């Protein structure tokens, strides 16, 4: 069975659900941080250490997962990733000591590193160029919905069944997803007719590391993802410190913040696709979107001076929206400038660099807060991180243009 339009959208829907599970699984620990910390006696520095281990393991795993995705193709890479990180999620339910939690967090980070290159490569494989921005926008938006679902659903599960059960339930859902994917694609033949995307003839990392476009994207991911991971891991703690929220009371403000993220992704992706369809210049569309996203994040330090919960929540919603608009555009740039055979590796290497930034900011945040310096130094960095990332892209890629080697393949995809 070839990849029809209806099958394309069915696969895209499953990829969206996988992205949702990816974010929910990693968010469980941050949403339940006050509960788990009280139960196991964690300090801020302990939690920062766990976050850093998650980020570090994910970062280094990306050096391998990009190769796995390019080599195995999207048919097998997607279920392998979801099944693996679902097992790691379930493992949290049996962890009791700091060492055990460190192990399962590292395992979760390493296995979740399959998610980004698999998702980006799948969307690049099934959508024509002018629709990829929309695809990435929806992909990022649905991932953000995980940030809405997690603070609303997870505290309820923990209240009824205990915090350990939340990890088990989330992991079981992922295992079911992997079975459904394999059922849906059992007769699907992708571009090479073998049931997988064409394997790259060159799967080494050396060639992509010699290209300016790789480093333009990589450092931009370091700067922008640092802010995203800061929000992801520490925003619940900020609400707890600043406004005394915990448990189910964290749900509404976190849901609003992640709604902002979803809106940012959708608006950026949809608008970019419409502008490109109307013939606007690719370079201006991509960089203009990233500039607006960076400007939206500038007010984040004002959250510290918001005397009212919902004012701070709206500031975070803008910040999360700005990040997802920037991230959606950066994913589209990867698909624009990278030959399809290298998309998995370039995406994974960029994610590796972004996770290094996340690992650093997670640990730095723990140290800064333990030292009594508060969130101001962290939010000041966050406010300018996206404009710095765009400046770096402009320096290395003065003009964004589509990779020539994509032309024939893109025409074939558009004709399906």
């Amino acid at each position: 069975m070839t990849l029809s339009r209806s099958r394309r959208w069915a696969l895209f829907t499953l990829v969206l659900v996988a992205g949702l599970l990816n974010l929910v699984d990693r968010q469980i620990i941050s949403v339940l941080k006050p509960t788990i910390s009280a139960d196991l006696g964690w300090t801020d520095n302990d939690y920062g250490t766990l976050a850093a281990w998650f980020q570090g393991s994910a970062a280094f795993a990306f050096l391998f997962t990009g190769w796995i995705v390019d080599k195995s193709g999207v048919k097998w890479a997607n279920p392998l990733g979801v099944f693996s990180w679902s097992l790691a999620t379930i493992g949290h339910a049996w962890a009791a000591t700091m060492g055990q939690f460190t192990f399962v967090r590292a395992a979760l980070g390493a296995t979740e590193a399959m998610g980004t290159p698999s998702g980006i490569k799948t969307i690049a494989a099934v959508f024509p160029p002018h629709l990829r921005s929309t695809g990435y926008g929806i992909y990022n938006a649905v991932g953000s919905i995980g940030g809405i679902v997690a603070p609303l659903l997870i505290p309820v599960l923990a209240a009824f069944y205990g915090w350990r059960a939340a990890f088990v339930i989330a992991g079981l859902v992922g295992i079911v997803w992997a079975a459904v994917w394999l059922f849906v694609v059992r007769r699907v033949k992708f571009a090479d007719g073998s049931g997988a995307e064409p394997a790259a003839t060159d799967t080494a990392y050396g060639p992509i590391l010699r290209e300016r476009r790789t480093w333009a994207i990589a450092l931009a991911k370091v700067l922008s993802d640092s802010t995203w991971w800061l929000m992801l891991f520490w925003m619940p703690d900020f609400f707890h410190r600043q406004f005394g929220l915990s448990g189910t009371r964290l749900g509404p403000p976190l849901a609003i913040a992640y709604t902002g993220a979803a809106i940012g992704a959708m608006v950026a992706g949809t608008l970019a696709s419409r502008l490109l369809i109307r013939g606007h210049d690719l370079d201006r569309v991509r960089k203009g979107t990233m500039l607006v996203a960076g400007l939206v994040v500038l007010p984040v330090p004002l959250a510290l001076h918001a005397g009212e919960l919902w004012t701070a929540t709206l500031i975070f919603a803008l910040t999360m929206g700005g990040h997802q608009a920037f991230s959606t555009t950066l994913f589209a740039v990867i698909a624009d400038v990278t030959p399809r055979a290298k998309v998995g590796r370039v995406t994974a290497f960029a994610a590796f660099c972004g996770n290094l930034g996340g690992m650093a900011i997670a640990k730095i945040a723990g140290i800064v807060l333990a030292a009594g310096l508060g969130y101001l130094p962290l939010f000041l960095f966050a406010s300018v991180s996206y404009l710095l990332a765009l400046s770096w892209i402009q320096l290395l890629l003065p003009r964004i243009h589509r990779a020539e080697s994509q032309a024939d393949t893109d025409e074939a995809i558009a004709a399906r």
Side-chain angles (χ1 to χ4, degrees):
M1 181 184 295
T2 57
L3 189 61
S4 64
R5 288 182 183 272
S6 61
R7 189 57 60 97
R8 169 193 298 173
W9 284 99
L11 295 178
F12 179 57
T13 299
L14 283 172
V15 169
L16 296 180
V17 175
L20 179 67
L21 293 174
N22 190 286
L23 195 142
V24 167
D25 287 358
R26 74 181 62 171
Q27 273 290 83
I28 294 173
I29 196 170
S30 63
V31 172
L32 298 180
K33 175 184 177 288
T35 302
I36 302 175
S37 295
D39 190 15
L40 300 181
W42 290 348
T43 66
D44 286 334
N45 196 38
D46 289 335
Y47 180 70
T49 297
L50 290 174
W53 271 101
F54 176 90
Q55 293 301 127
S57 63
F60 287 101
F62 276 122
L63 296 177
F64 303 96
T65 58
W67 179 87
I68 292 170
V69 171
D70 278 340
K71 191 70 174 177
S72 63
V74 298
K75 180 175 183 177
W76 299 107
N78 282 290
L80 175 62
V82 176
F83 182 80
S84 299
W85 81 59
S86 297
L87 290 181
T89 300
I90 292 173
H92 286 65
W94 283 269
T97 67
M98 188 66 182
Q100 291 168 349
F101 257 96
T102 298
F103 176 80
V104 293
R105 289 310 288 176
L108 183 63
T111 50
E112 283 206 339
M114 286 290 291
T116 301
S118 295
I120 299 307
K121 188 176 180 72
T122 302
I123 293 170
V126 302
F127 282 114
H130 65 278
L131 289 180
R132 287 176 190 159
S133 292
T134 298
Y136 292 131
I138 297 172
Y139 179 73
N140 272 358
V142 170
S144 298
I145 291 173
I148 301 171
V149 171
L152 295 176
L153 179 61
I154 290 171
V156 175
L157 292 176
F160 278 97
Y161 305 108
W163 62 263
R164 296 183 185 276
F167 289 104
V168 175
I169 294 170
L172 290 176
V173 172
I175 291 173
V176 171
W177 182 98
V180 172
W181 172 276
L182 291 174
F183 176 79
V184 171
V185 302
R186 66 194 187 283
R187 292 185 296 165
V188 171
K189 292 183 179 180
F190 289 91
D192 67 347
S194 66
E197 284 298 302
T201 55
D202 170 24
T203 55
Y205 271 93
I208 71 166
L209 297 182
R210 292 194 292 268
E211 297 174 357
R212 288 169 62 90
R213 60 193 173 198
T214 299
W215 291 104
I217 294 164
L219 188 56
K221 286 290 284 182
V222 171
L223 292 166
S224 59
D225 280 14
S226 293
T227 295
W228 173 251
W229 290 111
L230 175 67
M231 296 293 114
L232 199 67
F233 281 116
W234 291 97
M235 189 165 49
D237 181 74
F238 173 86
F239 283 128
H240 179 65
R241 290 170 184 260
Q242 199 83 349
F243 301 104
L245 303 185
S246 62
T248 56
R249 294 179 63 204
L250 280 168
L254 290 178
I256 291 172
Y258 280 99
T259 298
I263 292 172
M266 287 292 295
V267 169
T270 303
L271 182 60
S273 288
R274 289 183 178 180
L275 291 174
L276 292 173
I277 289 171
R278 293 176 181 176
H280 288 267
D281 179 67
L282 178 67
D283 181 77
R284 288 191 176 187
V285 170
R286 299 296 189 225
K287 291 177 181 174
T289 304
M290 288 189 280
L291 175 61
V292 173
L295 293 174
V296 164
V297 178
L298 277 175
V300 65
L302 297 179
L304 290 166
H305 304 288
E308 201 266 332
L309 170 63
W310 302 112
T311 302
T313 299
L314 290 176
I315 292 172
F316 283 130
L318 281 174
T319 300
M320 303 292 274
H323 169 83
Q324 287 292 55
F326 194 97
S327 179
T328 294
T329 307
L330 199 55
F331 283 143
V333 170
I334 293 174
D336 290 333
V337 304
T338 307
R340 286 186 62 210
K342 298 180 179 181
V343 167
R345 278 165 294 152
V346 173
T347 301
F349 181 72
F352 160 75
C353 295
N355 274 262
L356 287 182
M359 179 177 64
I361 200 69
K363 186 60 179 174
I364 291 169
I367 293 171
V368 168
L369 293 172
L373 300 178
Y375 277 98
L376 180 59
L378 302 170
F379 287 175
L380 286 174
F381 162 77
S383 68
V384 298
S385 58
Y386 297 91
L387 296 178
L388 291 174
L390 176 58
S391 299
W392 173 253
I393 291 173
Q394 178 63 29
L395 180 65
L396 265 67
L397 293 178
R399 290 284 303 172
I400 294 174
H401 55 82
R402 193 160 284 120
E404 293 180 3
S405 60
Q406 287 195 56
D408 294 337
T409 305
D410 287 343
E411 288 176 5
I413 293 172
R416 289 178 185 172

